Structures are given as structure tokens and as C-alpha cells.
Amino acid sequence: MLKHGAAPPGAGSDPRPSSATGSLGARLTRRKPVERLVAEGGQGEGGTLRRSLGMWQLTMISIGATLGTGIFVVLGEAVPKAGPAVIVSFVIAGITALFSALSYAELAGTIPVSGSSYSYAYATLGELVAWVCGWCLILEYGVSVAAVAVGWGQYLNELLSGTIGVTIPDALSAPPGDGGIFNLPALVVVLLAMVFLLGGAKESARANTIMVTVKIVALLLFCAVALQGVRSGNYANFMPLGIAGVSGAGATLFFSYIGFDAASTAGEEARDPQRDLPRAIMLSLLIVTTLYCLVAAVAVGAMPWKGFEGSEAALAGIMKDVTGQSFWAVLLAAGAVIAIASVVLTVLYGQTRILFAMSRDGLAPKVFSKVHAKTGAPRANTVIVSLFCGILAAAIPLGQLADATSIGTLFAFALVNIAVIVLRFTRPEMPRSFRTPLAPLFPAIGFALCVYMMFSLGAVTWMVFGGWLVVGLVVYFAYGMRRSRLERENAPQAD
């Protein structure tokens, strides 16, 4: 039975694919009806995903993917640009993310499936655009898992040094090309996440909730301790570099908000996705923004803004300066270790569910949509993705490739905003459990902001992104277009 937010089959549209096999243009723009996307929810090869996640667990998945290393290291990069007004920069970045979050909330409640923006694009913009979106999500999720895992070894060494006085040698803990040969901790944290994911969505969500709680407590503890060192004079020259500095810092900080879309990948494992997914997305963004602003306000009050220049561990340094003890810095390092592990777990989860949806549509090999009957998890999918990401993090210098995760994310966000506008015009009668305010104005603003952010990235990032798209198009025309379920269903039968 469909939930209250989903349109029943036949409600205002033909539930069959929007175009049959014919001209190349028709094949590239064929769409998968919303009703069919919803009806196929959870169905995989040999089993189905289990609906076991409630709103709080979905919110924790979203926070887990968003609240990571960013807040622990980003202040050293953002404060020198904005001064104490970095607090305003966090608000600007949060508002920028909000426009896309509103669009995600509407589509997550209307099309509650695992594919996230890939599935939204398939229903509104056609198969080729959906493939490109899915290909970008593979870049966003897969490479970001590796990029985040790389930093885990550095924080782990800080924790080990402060507790037992022993560290892992750089050759086995530093990124390749940066003094390391093989980043063993990066591989370990990905494999640990894999073990949790193999147990099923409910078990993974429980572990993630514990880790998210720990890192929120760590940040609140920082605020409580560092508050003792706050001096009003540190706020005196509030905007030393003007509005341009505040805006520049906001663009830098926007990427600390990436991850709120992770909840939308759990659409087929949520108990009441039409109700809970929009709430989880909006609630997680509110919690993350509040935490960011609170930590920033205390940090710039406890240390003069010029002291943040070149500091990659500003929060730990502040705690040590305020208390005169290294214990608190070690405690914060422990929080960072937990934070990174939580990001790896939730982002890896999102990657497997997107590939699950693409595989079910025939655009990726069938192995990615095979579901284990006992756990209700796509086991082969999880193992393959985890090993790939773990080896990528441990053995390959990521360099500019890691920066490309940002542009891939923004591209997917832009498509989601367009999808909301298209679906409002093509299916205005469709029940929606959440409606983006002032549509199409707000989605249009969200699209424009994403495009602006994309063009603020460097030429090398664009080159990597362009190369990734070219490879994706080759894969689509050589494999995906012919293997697509819509292609095979509309092809003439040989018998």
C-alpha cells in the first residue's frame, strides 16, 4: 500500500515509461514514471530492503554525513577571510544550502526512493540526465568517502600520541604523495564501516546515532570549556575585511553543509518516508547550522581572529590555551576520530543505495541490486564499494580529485532544484507531503546559487569534472543505454 504522500498509479499520468524505443532523442529523454519508482521501492534481486528507519534515525544519518571534519578544521581557513563575522558567514552558507534542502525535502517526500537526485532526475528530466546525475553522485559519495577516510589516520595519531605516547609511522598513516606509502588507517575505517553496513540498515543507523551523539557532545563540550576564555574585545573589529570577506568565507563554508542529502538515499528503508524524510532533512540542517554558529561564536571570542591563520586544529589549540592542559585537546581529537568514522559510515551507505537504484534500472550491473535475504542489505554492493573506496583512500594520491566532489555535489543539487520546477508544472495534481515555499522562485534561487558556487571553483577542478563526465557518457552509450530496463521493455520481442 502506498503511503499518504505518494500518488496512486494512474493519478494524472500513464504509469508506463514516457517514451518508447525509437529515435535517439526519445531514448535519451525517456522518463520513469513517479508511480513506478515508488511502487518498486525496496525491490532488489532476490530480496527487498527493510523499512526499519524512523525520523530520528534518518535525521542522524543526515547529520552524520554533514557534521564531520569540516567544523574541526575549517575555521583556520574561514576566519582569516571574515574575521569574527565568520558567524554571519556560517549563516549565509546555511541559507545557501537551505534552498537546495527545501527542494530535496519536497522530492524526498514525493518520490521516496533510494536513488536520491538520480531518481528525481529520471522521473523529470529523462534517462541521460539521470545517468549523468548518478555518475556525479558516484563521484561525490565514492571519492568523498576516500577523501574523508584519509584524514582519519592523522586524528588517530593525535589521539594515540596524547594517550599512550605511540603513533603510527607516517609511511603507514599519511596520504600517498604526502610522506605516506599506504594509508592503513584509511583502509581500516572504511572496512569498519563496511562491517556495520553488512549487518543491515537498522544496525548501521544505531551505530551512527551513537557516533553522532558523541561528536555533538564533543562540540558542546568545546563550547562549555572555551567559553571561559571568551573576551569581548575579540569581537570589537567584527567585520575587518568587509562584506566581501564575509561572502568569500561563506562560499568556503558552504561545503561544510554538504551531506544533508544523505537521508534521501534511505527512502526505501524508512518506515514512513513521505512524512519523515522532509522532516529529517530540514531538522538536520537546523541542528548543524546551530552547532556551527555556536562553535564559531565561542571560538572567535576565545582567540583573536588573526590567530586562526594557518591553523588546521584551531579548536584543539583553543581548548589547550584556555585550560593550560593537553587533556582537552586529546578529548577533542577523540571526538574528531568519531566524527570522521560517522561520515565514512553514512556516506558509504548513501553510495551503496544510489548504485542499488541504478542497478535496478539496468544502468549498473545486477550485482549492485542483490539483497541478502537475512539482513535485507545489498551485501555484494557494500563489499565492492567498500573495497574500492578503501583502496582508493589507502593507495592513491587523491589531489584535485577530492575537490571534484564539491562540483559533483553542486551539479546534483542544481538538478534537484530543476526537478522540483519541472514536476510542479508537469504533475501539479500530485500529492506532496512537503511543498517548497514560493516555488518556482525558491528552487530557481537554489539552482542559481549552485551554479554560482560551481563557477567559483578552480580550472583544475573543472577539468577533472569534465573528464569524469566524458568517461560517464562513454559508459552510458556503451553499456547503460542498451542495458536500461526501459530500453529492454520497449524493444521488439524476438519470440
Side-chain angles (χ1 to χ4, degrees), residues 193-201 204 345 348-349 352-353 377 382 386:
M194 180 189 75
V195 171
F196 282 115
L197 292 175
L198 289 176
S204 304
L345 176 65
L348 194 64
Y349 169 84
T352 60
R353 270 44 179 186
T382 301
S386 300

Side-chain angles (χ1 to χ4, degrees), residues 78-90 232-241 246 293 296-301 303-306 308:
V79 174
K81 295 180 180 180
V86 71
I87 306 165
V88 180
S89 299
F90 269 113
S232 59
N234 290 334
Y235 299 110
N237 190 13
F238 189 70
M239 200 178 295
L241 302 176
V246 174
C293 291
V298 173
V300 295
M303 186 165 75
W305 69 272
K306 291 184 179 180
F308 285 84

Side-chain angles (χ1 to χ4, degrees), residues 211-449:
M211 288 189 284
V212 169
T213 301
V214 169
K215 62 185 177 182
I216 290 176
V217 169
L219 289 174
L220 293 176
L221 182 63
F222 162 81
C223 293
V225 173
L227 192 63
Q228 304 171 45
V230 170
R231 301 292 181 267
S232 59
N234 290 334
Y235 299 110
N237 190 13
F238 189 70
M239 200 178 295
L241 302 176
I243 192 65
V246 174
S247 299
T252 299
L253 294 171
F254 173 79
F255 302 109
S256 298
Y257 287 88
I258 288 175
F260 65 80
D261 56 317
S264 66
T265 65
E268 295 175 25
E269 290 161 289
R271 289 195 292 267
D272 191 351
Q274 285 89 351
R275 184 196 68 180
D276 292 341
L277 283 176
R279 295 180 180 181
I281 291 171
M282 301 311 299
L283 180 59
S284 65
L285 189 61
L286 175 63
I287 292 173
V288 167
T289 302
T290 301
L291 271 173
Y292 282 169
C293 291
L294 181 61
V295 170
V298 173
V300 295
M303 186 165 75
W305 69 272
K306 291 184 179 180
F308 285 84
E309 184 75 43
S311 175
E312 294 186 356
L315 300 189
I318 290 171
M319 293 188 80
K320 187 173 182 180
D321 290 344
V322 169
T323 63
Q325 301 175 10
S326 61
F327 168 77
W328 298 104
V330 172
L331 200 61
L332 200 67
V337 168
I338 298 296
I340 296 174
S342 175
V343 173
V344 170
L345 176 65
T346 50
V347 176
L348 194 64
Y349 169 84
Q351 172 72 97
T352 60
R353 270 44 179 186
I354 289 166
L355 277 170
F356 175 87
M358 295 178 72
S359 172
R360 186 172 56 203
D361 292 333
L363 300 179
K366 284 186 177 181
V367 67
F368 291 105
S369 57
K370 289 184 177 179
V371 177
H372 191 268
K374 183 178 179 180
T375 63
R379 278 196 167 183
N381 180 343
T382 301
V383 171
I384 293 170
V385 171
S386 300
L387 291 177
F388 174 80
C389 292
I391 293 172
L392 183 69
I396 300 176
L398 294 177
Q400 292 291 336
L401 186 60
D403 294 336
T405 62
S406 298
I407 199 169
T409 303
L410 288 168
F411 183 82
F413 283 9
L415 289 182
V416 168
N417 284 295
I418 294 176
V420 168
I421 297 173
V422 170
L423 204 60
R424 283 290 188 98
F425 281 104
T426 59
R427 299 293 304 278
E429 83 295 338
M430 179 176 291
R432 291 165 169 83
S433 59
F434 178 88
R435 298 179 70 89
T436 302
L438 299 179
L441 176 60
F442 274 18
I445 293 174
F447 172 78
L449 288 170

Side-chain angles (χ1 to χ4, degrees), residues 470-491:
V470 169
V471 173
L473 290 174
V474 170
V475 173
Y476 173 73
F477 285 108
Y479 177 89
M481 187 170 69
R482 295 184 297 105
R483 298 277 187 152
S484 165
R485 282 184 63 187
L486 299 187
E487 173 80 8
R488 288 184 278 116
E489 288 170 1
N490 291 302

Side-chain angles (χ1 to χ4, degrees), residues 19 22-30:
S19 59
S23 68
L24 179 61
R27 295 166 72 187
L28 298 180
T29 58
R30 57 194 171 204

Side-chain angles (χ1 to χ4, degrees), residues 10-85:
S13 76
D14 188 341
R16 295 172 297 177
S18 60
S19 59
T21 303
S23 68
L24 179 61
R27 295 166 72 187
L28 298 180
T29 58
R30 57 194 171 204
R31 299 184 301 276
K32 191 172 182 180
V34 173
E35 290 78 13
R36 180 170 174 180
L37 280 166
V38 175
E40 290 179 353
Q43 298 178 17
E45 293 285 331
T48 58
L49 301 177
R50 294 177 181 173
R51 293 195 177 276
S52 58
L53 305 179
M55 192 199 75
W56 186 243
Q57 293 164 311
L58 294 169
T59 303
M60 290 295 103
I61 288 174
S62 189
I63 295 176
T66 308
L67 189 65
T69 56
I71 190 60
F72 289 95
V73 300
V74 76
L75 287 177
E77 185 177 352
V79 174
K81 295 180 180 180

